[in-house]
Amino acid sequence: TACASDGCNKKVVDNGDGTYRCEKCNKTSPDFKYRLLLQMHLADSTGYHWATAFQDCAEKLLGKKAQEMGEIKENEDLFDATMKSALFKPYQLTLRSKMESYNDDSRLKTVMVEAKDLDVAAYNK
């Protein structure tokens, strides 16, 4: 959940009374915007990789806006069907990877930058 103010995507805190507080804007509001963050396991013929897709890429992969996903999250069958609809489809992905260290442990962090439907004819020229 994110701040409903224009230009602000900061996570909001539920006050417990039906309102949400944004620390960045220093405002309390009765509404919020849904945001998407997908953790996914990508695979092709060369192997597999874990990646994260944020708002725009996640919406492209799922075929639904974040607000729609938030509204259907209580309907388990529809939510699961939407998630499964993104499985095993070919996409042309642009990924950004970098090594990060935390407590002397190095990990490769991969984030999806762009997701496009795969145009096989154009790709094989």
Side-chain angles (χ1 to χ4, degrees), residues 26-102:
N26 200 23
K27 292 181 185 175
T28 300
S29 172
D31 19 306
F32 59 87
K33 295 184 290 191
Y34 282 102
R35 302 285 294 165
L36 289 174
L37 183 144
L38 291 179
Q39 294 285 334
M40 65 191 78
H41 195 216
L42 304 172
D44 66 7
S45 61
T46 62
Y48 66 91
H49 210 71
W50 282 98
T52 303
F54 293 100
Q55 186 78 8
D56 294 337
C57 291
E59 288 178 344
K60 171 71 176 167
L61 295 174
L62 295 174
K64 291 196 183 296
K65 296 287 185 189
Q67 197 64 33
E68 293 175 79
M69 291 300 292
E71 291 166 2
I72 67 170
K73 72 179 182 177
E74 300 302 323
N75 183 339
E76 193 172 314
D77 292 335
L78 183 56
F79 188 83
D80 287 347
T82 302
M83 296 301 282
K84 288 178 182 174
S85 72
L87 297 176
F88 305 109
K89 288 188 176 178
Y91 291 99
Q92 183 175 346
L93 305 175
T94 304
L95 305 172
R96 180 180 63 233
S97 296
K98 66 179 180 177
M99 291 297 292
E100 289 191 346
S101 295
Y102 181 74

